[in-house]
């Protein structure tokens, strides 16, 4: 029996899981071949701040697979090979190897997992030395080197998302003067003002100089970074980390016939298949179905990448399975404060056309007679017309992150806010109250619903 050739372009989170799933389940029917332009795979970029900040001593644990581990599964691995063109009509790709040679590779099934790349703003000074980015292992190495450089005394982080907030903490923990500059409120893509203000206060309390709602206009310097200019001021810094978002790495597909959205993100169905038969796309370069917006969204999270890789691999291998959709669940832990969210915050829900209502509750986690206790704040957003839960946000100095999974599932199954008040939740003083913070939020929400 002639084996199919299944080619995977890109081998980081999504690609690694796709390749491993194919090799573990379908190698009797398919030859699995992968090409990657990098010299390493499976780098957990979400952990780079831990390494840069000295929480962990080594970067070794930030890799969970290697080219060698995939080869041991029978995968044909080509590192430092750049795919330059995809010919979907003739089912072949054109590749430039690390010596400049051109290779034409035929395929029966193709999985595109080329990920995303940090946005490089078009501003003066963007190409100065000591302007750095955060995506690859090499970026983390560069940041680590700068932290060891005694000439680098101050760093500006541009961008108030997860990466920016985590790295500004890491730079401060390295003894650097740290600035955080963002054109909105910090973490406002995921959280409402009740939460973003507390994170901003926590950063300020630990010596971070915060510049929210400021737009960067120029990076100053002759050869190296000497400062940064915004629409509200000029600040002396020795390095700048740009973290203002990511674009999908899909420009090489412009003549392929593969459909992308206005941002260049590949449009896929719930089996990760593109508009072209036998061509799949996964991870940060592809859309993923959101159960909160009921649209294909670009949600660049490692968890989504992993799931999409598994789904695409099984479909390419012959087992038709569908993606459940996602809620964009996420969490961050900074200076002892944990914030976690799922689904839509208030602003995102409004932008998606929902008629919303919400409750926000702050309470202690455990019974008041317990010797130790912490506060927790929870906010739940729902659609007033259907009563379906659209999103939840939770904040505490206690690790309450697992509670968000309940709300993630609630959004996936269409759970309504009126049921939350009587949901069966256990009680034990070590963990919670008889009327715990989730129940209390549910009761307040029910009171609101009864007035509609």
């Amino acid at each position: 029996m002639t084996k199919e050739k299944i080619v995977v372009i890109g081998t980081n989170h999504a690609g690694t899981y796709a390749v491993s799933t194919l090799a573990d389940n379908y190698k009797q029917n398919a030859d699995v071949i992968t090409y990657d332009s990098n010299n390493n795979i499976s780098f957990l970029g979400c952990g780079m701040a831990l390494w840069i900040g000295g929480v962990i001593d080594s970067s070794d644990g930030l890799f969970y697979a290697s080219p060698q581990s995939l080869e041991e599964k029978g995968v044909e691995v080509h590192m430092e090979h750049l795919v330059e063109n995809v010919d979907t009509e003739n089912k072949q790709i054109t590749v430039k190897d690390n010596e400049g040679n051109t290779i034409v590779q035929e395929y029966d099934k193709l999985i595109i997992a080329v990920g995303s790349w940090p946005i490089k703003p078009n501003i003066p000074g963007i190409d100065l030395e000591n302007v750095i980015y955060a995506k690859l292992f090499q970026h983390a190495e560069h940041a680590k080197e700068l932290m060891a450089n005694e000439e680098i005394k101050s760093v500006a982080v541009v961008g108030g998302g997860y990466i920016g907030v985590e790295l500004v903490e890491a730079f401060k923990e390295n003894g650097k003067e740290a600035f955080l500059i963002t054109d909105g409120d910090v973490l406002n893509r995921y959280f409402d003002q009740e939460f973003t203000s507390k994170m901003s206060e926590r950063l300020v309390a630990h010596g971070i100089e915060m510049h929210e709602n400021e737009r960067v206009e120029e990076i100053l310097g002759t050869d190296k970074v000497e400062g940064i200019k915004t629409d509200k001021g000029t600040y002396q810094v020795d390095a700048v980390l740009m973290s203002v978002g990511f674009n999908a790495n899909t420009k090489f597909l412009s003549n392929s016939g593969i459909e992308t959205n206005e941002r260049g993100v590949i449009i896929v169905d719930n089996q990760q298949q593109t508009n072209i038969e036998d061509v799949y796309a996964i991870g940060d370069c592809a859309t993923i179905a959101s159960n909160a917006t009921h649209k294909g969204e670009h949600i660049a999270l490692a968890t989504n990448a992993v799931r999409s890789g598994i789904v695409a691999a099984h479909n390419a291998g012959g087992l038709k399975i569908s993606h459940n959709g996602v809620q964009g669940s996420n969490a961050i832990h900074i200076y002892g404060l944990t914030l976690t969210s799922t689904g839509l915050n208030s602003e995102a829900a409004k932008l998606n056309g929902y008629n919303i209502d919400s409750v926000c509750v702050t309470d202690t986690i455990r019974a008041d007679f317990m010797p130790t206790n912490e506060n927790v704040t929870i906010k739940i957003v729902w659609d007033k017309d259907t009563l379906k839960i659209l999103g939840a946000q939770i904040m505490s100095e206690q690790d309450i992150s697992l509670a968000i999974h309940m709300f993630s599932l609630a959004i996936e199954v269409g759970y309504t806010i009126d049921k939350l008040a009587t949901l069966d939740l256990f009680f034990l003083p070590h963990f919670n109250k008889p009327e715990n913070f989730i129940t209390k939020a549910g009761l307040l929400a029910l009171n609101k619903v009864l007035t509609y």
Side-chain angles (χ1 to χ4, degrees), residues 55 87 114 167 172 287 442:
V55 177
D87 181 350
V114 291
L167 285 173
K172 184 65 178 179
T287 60

Side-chain angles (χ1 to χ4, degrees), residues 327-363:
Q327 290 68 249
S329 303
N330 56 85
I332 189 168
H333 183 78
I334 299 293
Y335 289 121
L337 184 64
T338 295
L339 273 67
T340 181
S341 76
T342 191
L344 305 176
N345 67 3
S346 296
E347 188 61 31
K350 291 174 185 176
L351 289 173
N352 277 277
Y354 287 109
N355 176 27
I356 70 162
D357 205 346
S358 66
V359 293
C360 188
V361 173
T362 297
D363 197 5

Side-chain angles (χ1 to χ4, degrees), residues 131-423:
V131 176
I132 59 176
Y133 298 87
K135 177 70 175 179
L136 304 178
F137 173 62
Q138 292 91 328
H139 292 148
E141 282 187 310
H142 189 188
K144 190 76 172 171
E145 290 169 3
L146 288 180
M147 292 307 98
N149 184 347
E150 294 183 357
E151 294 182 358
I152 304 296
K153 300 185 183 303
S154 56
V155 184
V157 174
V158 181
Y162 276 149
I163 293 174
V165 173
E166 289 172 342
L167 285 173
V168 81
E169 179 193 41
F171 295 151
K172 184 65 178 179
E173 290 302 289
N174 272 277
K176 309 299 181 184
E177 185 181 5
F179 299 74
L180 183 62
I181 304 172
T182 177
D183 61 4
D185 293 335
V186 66
L187 300 177
N188 64 357
R189 180 178 175 184
Y190 312 99
F191 298 95
D192 289 326
Q193 194 273 336
E194 299 96 324
F195 296 76
T196 60
S197 62
K198 294 299 182 183
M199 178 56 74
S200 184
E201 290 171 9
R202 183 63 58 104
L203 292 167
V204 169
H206 284 82
I208 308 295
E209 187 167 321
M210 297 292 291
H211 296 275
E212 296 175 272
N213 300 294
E214 289 192 40
R215 187 182 67 257
V216 173
E217 296 180 339
E218 184 178 358
I219 300 173
L220 307 173
T222 304
D223 299 310
K224 297 181 179 181
V225 171
E226 297 174 11
I228 191 165
K229 180 177 180 296
T230 75
D231 59 345
K232 295 183 180 178
T234 299
Y235 314 104
Q236 182 179 346
V237 297
D238 304 308
V240 173
L241 172 85
M242 298 301 306
S243 181
V244 295
F246 297 89
N247 285 326
N249 279 325
T250 57
K251 289 184 178 179
F252 75 105
L253 298 173
S254 58
N255 298 316
S256 67
I258 296 170
E259 186 179 1
T260 62
N261 66 15
E262 67 280 359
R263 294 184 58 197
V265 184
I266 302 169
I267 298 171
V268 297
D269 62 16
N270 63 0
Q271 295 178 335
Q272 301 299 139
Q273 182 159 287
T274 70
N275 61 307
I276 305 238
E277 189 175 0
D278 296 331
V279 178
Y280 303 83
I282 56 178
D284 288 3
C285 68
T287 60
I288 195 163
S290 166
N291 291 316
T293 67
H294 304 288
K295 296 184 290 188
E297 303 281 4
H298 187 221
I299 306 174
L301 294 170
T303 50
N304 295 345
V306 167
R307 292 183 184 94
S308 67
I310 294 170
V311 169
H314 281 300
N315 280 282
L319 176 64
K320 299 303 178 185
I321 65 171
S322 295
H323 205 294
N324 293 338
V326 301
Q327 290 68 249
S329 303
N330 56 85
I332 189 168
H333 183 78
I334 299 293
Y335 289 121
L337 184 64
T338 295
L339 273 67
T340 181
S341 76
T342 191
L344 305 176
N345 67 3
S346 296
E347 188 61 31
K350 291 174 185 176
L351 289 173
N352 277 277
Y354 287 109
N355 176 27
I356 70 162
D357 205 346
S358 66
V359 293
C360 188
V361 173
T362 297
D363 197 5
T364 53
I365 295 176
R366 290 180 289 278
D368 294 337
F369 56 77
M370 292 299 289
T372 61
N373 219 333
E374 293 84 21
N375 286 337
V376 58
T377 299
I378 182 170
K379 183 171 185 177
I380 307 169
V381 179
W382 68 89
D383 179 7
K384 288 181 71 174
D385 299 326
T386 65
L387 302 186
K388 289 183 178 179
I389 295 173
L390 300 174
Q393 305 156 56
I394 308 176
M395 171 175 62
S396 180
E397 293 187 357
Q398 178 79 11
D399 181 6
I400 38 67
S401 57
L402 285 177
I404 209 67
H405 294 309
M406 184 191 85
F407 289 98
S408 175
L409 182 59
I411 296 168
E412 182 174 324
V413 302
Y415 198 79
T416 54
I417 190 68
D418 57 309
K419 297 179 181 178
L420 189 62
T422 55
L423 180 66

